[in-house]
Amino acid sequence: MKWKIVANSLVMIVMLVCLLPALLSAEDKYPKKPISMVITFGAGGAASISGKMEADALEKALGQPVNLIHKPGGGTIPGVMSVMNAPPDGYTLLRVSAPSMVTNPLIRKTPFTHNDFIPICLTSYNSPVLYVRADSPYKDLNDFIEAGRKKTMLVGVNQIGAPPHLAAMQLSQAADIKFDTITYKQIPKSILGLMGGHVEAAVGLLFDNKKNDGKIRPLAILDNRRSEHLPDVPTVNELIPGADINSWVRAGISVKKGTPENIVNTLVEACEQELNTAEFKAKAETTNHAFNFVSGPEACNKVIEEGIAAYKPVIEKLGIKK
């Protein structure tokens, strides 16, 4: 009788050993539930629209819903901290932006830096653009500068220290004119402030020209490169001798440091599969985002650190470090 009990026990042990890899595999499977992607800007803006496109594309590769969570305000810090306070399990993604990864840690003491996150991919870049109303008397940048030498101009920006604000301050120095900046919670609201006559100009992005076609006029691209989306609009560097405005407006996806390597690899593969395609590129560029895909933590960190190196002397020169 005893030998039968022993034999049965041995059979059960062998079966458990055989099943163990499958059980562990099921336990390690990712993702097993919906994923959240935190966007540190309000709904309706460029980050929200392009973030939704990315989330929809990732759902196809991952087989789970990817839901957008908007946490605007506070210079992106509350949104970033919501990811910092979440478990590093791949179920809370952070959508990369210039303020969250590059400019804020240079301007103020933040409870995080880009080193607290693992970048998965970067998908696109954008450029700040100086806009006036379509019926404005300022037909080009020279008109705007000439008026600015006679009075202090009111210029709308989305937040202090974000690329639009930094670009506006660089323009002010390059053109030797003074701005009073009026801050709004997000770029669409600064454009609405412009159209409502509350400011004389606003710094938006390439995206805003298409969204508000016929209501606003782009005067200059506040970057060192022209855009195919605004082929007739010059850069400030072309118009003002000696000007050197170079903006870093990037978007992408990251996770909290400490996320397991297998989950990071799964996310990188999903982005490669669904975002690094001609179909997604064409869709992304309908929103006036210049598609520029960078994949994997090492390559993405290099691009982010290039942004930090570019903005550090600008912020020091402008004297806005807090």
Short mmCIF file of all heavy atoms in Angstrom, two decimals, residues 85-117:
data_model
loop_
_atom_site.label_atom_id
_atom_site.label_comp_id
_atom_site.label_asym_id
_atom_site.label_seq_id
_atom_site.Cartn_x
_atom_site.Cartn_y
_atom_site.Cartn_z
N ASN A 85 4.75 57.14 -9.00
CA ASN A 85 4.13 56.51 -7.84
C ASN A 85 3.44 55.19 -8.17
O ASN A 85 2.95 54.50 -7.26
CB ASN A 85 3.13 57.47 -7.19
CG ASN A 85 3.80 58.68 -6.57
OD1 ASN A 85 4.94 58.60 -6.13
ND2 ASN A 85 3.11 59.81 -6.56
N ALA A 86 3.38 54.86 -9.44
CA ALA A 86 2.75 53.60 -9.86
C ALA A 86 3.78 52.47 -9.83
O ALA A 86 4.99 52.72 -9.91
CB ALA A 86 2.17 53.75 -11.26
N PRO A 87 3.34 51.23 -9.72
CA PRO A 87 4.29 50.10 -9.73
C PRO A 87 5.02 50.04 -11.08
O PRO A 87 4.44 50.35 -12.13
CB PRO A 87 3.39 48.87 -9.55
CG PRO A 87 2.12 49.39 -8.98
CD PRO A 87 1.95 50.77 -9.52
N PRO A 88 6.28 49.63 -11.09
CA PRO A 88 7.03 49.50 -12.34
C PRO A 88 6.72 48.18 -13.04
O PRO A 88 7.57 47.30 -13.18
CB PRO A 88 8.49 49.57 -11.87
CG PRO A 88 8.46 48.95 -10.51
CD PRO A 88 7.14 49.34 -9.91
N ASP A 89 5.47 48.05 -13.47
CA ASP A 89 5.01 46.78 -14.02
C ASP A 89 4.55 46.87 -15.47
O ASP A 89 4.00 45.90 -16.01
CB ASP A 89 3.87 46.22 -13.16
CG ASP A 89 2.69 47.20 -13.02
OD1 ASP A 89 2.70 48.25 -13.71
OD2 ASP A 89 1.79 46.92 -12.21
N GLY A 90 4.77 48.04 -16.10
CA GLY A 90 4.41 48.18 -17.51
C GLY A 90 2.96 48.52 -17.76
O GLY A 90 2.55 48.64 -18.92
N TYR A 91 2.16 48.70 -16.70
CA TYR A 91 0.75 49.00 -16.89
C TYR A 91 0.44 50.50 -16.79
O TYR A 91 -0.70 50.91 -16.95
CB TYR A 91 -0.11 48.22 -15.89
CG TYR A 91 -0.15 46.75 -16.24
CD1 TYR A 91 0.65 45.83 -15.57
CD2 TYR A 91 -0.96 46.29 -17.28
CE1 TYR A 91 0.64 44.48 -15.92
CE2 TYR A 91 -0.98 44.95 -17.63
CZ TYR A 91 -0.19 44.05 -16.95
OH TYR A 91 -0.20 42.73 -17.31
N THR A 92 1.47 51.30 -16.50
CA THR A 92 1.32 52.76 -16.51
C THR A 92 2.45 53.34 -17.35
O THR A 92 3.60 53.33 -16.93
CB THR A 92 1.36 53.34 -15.09
OG1 THR A 92 0.41 52.66 -14.26
CG2 THR A 92 1.02 54.83 -15.11
N LEU A 93 2.10 53.81 -18.53
CA LEU A 93 3.08 54.40 -19.44
C LEU A 93 3.06 55.92 -19.30
O LEU A 93 2.02 56.51 -18.98
CB LEU A 93 2.77 54.03 -20.89
CG LEU A 93 2.48 52.56 -21.21
CD1 LEU A 93 2.18 52.41 -22.71
CD2 LEU A 93 3.62 51.67 -20.79
N LEU A 94 4.19 56.55 -19.53
CA LEU A 94 4.28 58.01 -19.55
C LEU A 94 4.56 58.45 -20.96
O LEU A 94 5.49 57.95 -21.61
CB LEU A 94 5.39 58.50 -18.63
CG LEU A 94 5.69 60.01 -18.69
CD1 LEU A 94 4.51 60.81 -18.15
CD2 LEU A 94 6.96 60.34 -17.91
N ARG A 95 3.77 59.40 -21.45
CA ARG A 95 4.05 59.94 -22.78
C ARG A 95 5.11 61.03 -22.62
O ARG A 95 4.93 62.02 -21.94
CB ARG A 95 2.81 60.52 -23.44
CG ARG A 95 3.05 60.78 -24.92
CD ARG A 95 1.76 60.78 -25.70
NE ARG A 95 2.05 60.79 -27.12
CZ ARG A 95 2.39 61.87 -27.82
NH1 ARG A 95 2.51 63.03 -27.21
NH2 ARG A 95 2.62 61.79 -29.10
N VAL A 96 6.23 60.81 -23.28
CA VAL A 96 7.39 61.70 -23.19
C VAL A 96 7.06 63.06 -23.78
O VAL A 96 6.41 63.17 -24.82
CB VAL A 96 8.59 61.08 -23.94
CG1 VAL A 96 9.75 62.06 -24.04
CG2 VAL A 96 9.03 59.79 -23.27
N SER A 97 7.52 64.12 -23.12
CA SER A 97 7.42 65.48 -23.66
C SER A 97 8.67 66.25 -23.27
O SER A 97 9.41 65.83 -22.38
CB SER A 97 6.17 66.20 -23.13
OG SER A 97 6.32 66.49 -21.75
N ALA A 98 8.89 67.36 -23.92
CA ALA A 98 10.06 68.18 -23.60
C ALA A 98 10.04 68.68 -22.15
O ALA A 98 11.05 68.58 -21.45
CB ALA A 98 10.18 69.34 -24.58
N PRO A 99 8.91 69.23 -21.65
CA PRO A 99 8.93 69.69 -20.25
C PRO A 99 9.20 68.57 -19.26
O PRO A 99 9.97 68.74 -18.30
CB PRO A 99 7.53 70.28 -20.05
CG PRO A 99 7.09 70.67 -21.42
CD PRO A 99 7.66 69.62 -22.33
N SER A 100 8.59 67.40 -19.47
CA SER A 100 8.72 66.33 -18.48
C SER A 100 10.12 65.73 -18.46
O SER A 100 10.66 65.42 -17.40
CB SER A 100 7.68 65.23 -18.72
OG SER A 100 7.85 64.64 -19.99
N MET A 101 10.73 65.56 -19.61
CA MET A 101 12.01 64.86 -19.68
C MET A 101 13.22 65.79 -19.79
O MET A 101 14.33 65.40 -19.45
CB MET A 101 12.02 63.92 -20.89
CG MET A 101 11.10 62.72 -20.79
SD MET A 101 11.59 61.52 -19.52
CE MET A 101 10.43 61.92 -18.22
N VAL A 102 13.02 67.02 -20.27
CA VAL A 102 14.18 67.87 -20.60
C VAL A 102 14.19 69.18 -19.83
O VAL A 102 15.11 69.45 -19.06
CB VAL A 102 14.23 68.13 -22.13
CG1 VAL A 102 15.36 69.09 -22.46
CG2 VAL A 102 14.41 66.82 -22.89
N THR A 103 13.19 70.02 -20.04
CA THR A 103 13.31 71.40 -19.54
C THR A 103 13.00 71.57 -18.06
O THR A 103 13.70 72.31 -17.36
CB THR A 103 12.42 72.36 -20.36
OG1 THR A 103 11.05 71.96 -20.25
CG2 THR A 103 12.84 72.35 -21.82
N ASN A 104 11.96 70.92 -17.55
CA ASN A 104 11.61 71.12 -16.14
C ASN A 104 12.73 70.79 -15.17
O ASN A 104 13.00 71.55 -14.24
CB ASN A 104 10.34 70.33 -15.79
CG ASN A 104 9.10 71.20 -15.90
OD1 ASN A 104 9.17 72.41 -15.80
ND2 ASN A 104 7.97 70.59 -16.12
N PRO A 105 13.40 69.64 -15.32
CA PRO A 105 14.51 69.35 -14.40
C PRO A 105 15.67 70.33 -14.51
O PRO A 105 16.48 70.42 -13.58
CB PRO A 105 14.94 67.93 -14.81
CG PRO A 105 13.72 67.32 -15.41
CD PRO A 105 13.07 68.45 -16.15
N LEU A 106 15.75 71.06 -15.63
CA LEU A 106 16.79 72.08 -15.77
C LEU A 106 16.39 73.40 -15.10
O LEU A 106 17.25 74.17 -14.68
CB LEU A 106 17.06 72.35 -17.26
CG LEU A 106 17.78 71.24 -18.04
CD1 LEU A 106 17.81 71.61 -19.53
CD2 LEU A 106 19.18 71.02 -17.52
N ILE A 107 15.08 73.64 -15.01
CA ILE A 107 14.59 74.92 -14.51
C ILE A 107 14.35 74.90 -13.01
O ILE A 107 14.65 75.86 -12.30
CB ILE A 107 13.29 75.31 -15.26
CG1 ILE A 107 13.61 75.62 -16.72
CG2 ILE A 107 12.60 76.50 -14.60
CD1 ILE A 107 12.39 75.80 -17.58
N ARG A 108 13.80 73.80 -12.52
CA ARG A 108 13.43 73.73 -11.09
C ARG A 108 13.86 72.38 -10.51
O ARG A 108 14.14 71.45 -11.24
CB ARG A 108 11.92 73.91 -10.92
CG ARG A 108 11.12 72.98 -11.78
CD ARG A 108 9.62 73.22 -11.63
NE ARG A 108 9.21 74.53 -12.05
CZ ARG A 108 8.94 74.86 -13.31
NH1 ARG A 108 9.09 73.98 -14.29
NH2 ARG A 108 8.55 76.08 -13.62
N LYS A 109 13.86 72.31 -9.22
CA LYS A 109 14.22 71.05 -8.55
C LYS A 109 13.01 70.14 -8.60
O LYS A 109 12.05 70.31 -7.85
CB LYS A 109 14.64 71.31 -7.11
CG LYS A 109 15.19 70.08 -6.41
CD LYS A 109 15.76 70.42 -5.05
CE LYS A 109 16.26 69.18 -4.32
NZ LYS A 109 17.30 68.46 -5.07
N THR A 110 13.04 69.18 -9.48
CA THR A 110 11.95 68.23 -9.62
C THR A 110 12.29 66.93 -8.88
O THR A 110 13.46 66.61 -8.71
CB THR A 110 11.69 67.91 -11.10
OG1 THR A 110 12.91 67.42 -11.68
CG2 THR A 110 11.23 69.15 -11.85
N PRO A 111 11.27 66.19 -8.45
CA PRO A 111 11.53 64.92 -7.76
C PRO A 111 11.85 63.78 -8.73
O PRO A 111 11.75 62.62 -8.38
CB PRO A 111 10.21 64.65 -7.02
CG PRO A 111 9.18 65.39 -7.78
CD PRO A 111 9.85 66.57 -8.43
N PHE A 112 12.26 64.13 -9.93
CA PHE A 112 12.59 63.12 -10.94
C PHE A 112 13.49 63.76 -12.00
O PHE A 112 13.56 64.99 -12.13
CB PHE A 112 11.32 62.58 -11.62
CG PHE A 112 10.51 63.67 -12.30
CD1 PHE A 112 10.81 64.09 -13.58
CD2 PHE A 112 9.48 64.29 -11.62
CE1 PHE A 112 10.09 65.11 -14.19
CE2 PHE A 112 8.74 65.31 -12.22
CZ PHE A 112 9.06 65.72 -13.50
N THR A 113 14.17 62.93 -12.74
CA THR A 113 14.88 63.33 -13.96
C THR A 113 14.57 62.26 -15.00
O THR A 113 13.89 61.26 -14.72
CB THR A 113 16.40 63.42 -13.76
OG1 THR A 113 16.94 62.08 -13.60
CG2 THR A 113 16.76 64.27 -12.56
N HIS A 114 15.11 62.45 -16.20
CA HIS A 114 14.86 61.46 -17.25
C HIS A 114 15.45 60.10 -16.88
O HIS A 114 15.01 59.06 -17.38
CB HIS A 114 15.44 61.94 -18.58
CG HIS A 114 16.93 61.88 -18.68
ND1 HIS A 114 17.76 62.75 -17.99
CD2 HIS A 114 17.76 61.05 -19.36
CE1 HIS A 114 19.01 62.46 -18.25
NE2 HIS A 114 19.05 61.43 -19.07
N ASN A 115 16.43 60.08 -15.96
CA ASN A 115 17.05 58.82 -15.55
C ASN A 115 16.15 57.96 -14.69
O ASN A 115 16.47 56.80 -14.42
CB ASN A 115 18.36 59.10 -14.80
CG ASN A 115 19.44 59.64 -15.72
OD1 ASN A 115 19.60 59.17 -16.83
ND2 ASN A 115 20.16 60.64 -15.26
N ASP A 116 15.01 58.51 -14.24
CA ASP A 116 14.05 57.73 -13.46
C ASP A 116 13.09 56.96 -14.35
O ASP A 116 12.17 56.29 -13.85
CB ASP A 116 13.26 58.65 -12.52
CG ASP A 116 14.13 59.22 -11.42
OD1 ASP A 116 14.78 58.41 -10.72
OD2 ASP A 116 14.19 60.45 -11.27
N PHE A 117 13.29 57.06 -15.66
CA PHE A 117 12.40 56.40 -16.61
C PHE A 117 13.20 55.64 -17.66
O PHE A 117 14.37 55.95 -17.91
CB PHE A 117 11.48 57.42 -17.29
CG PHE A 117 10.57 58.11 -16.32
CD1 PHE A 117 10.96 59.28 -15.68
CD2 PHE A 117 9.33 57.57 -16.02
CE1 PHE A 117 10.13 59.90 -14.75
CE2 PHE A 117 8.49 58.18 -15.10
CZ PHE A 117 8.89 59.34 -14.47
#
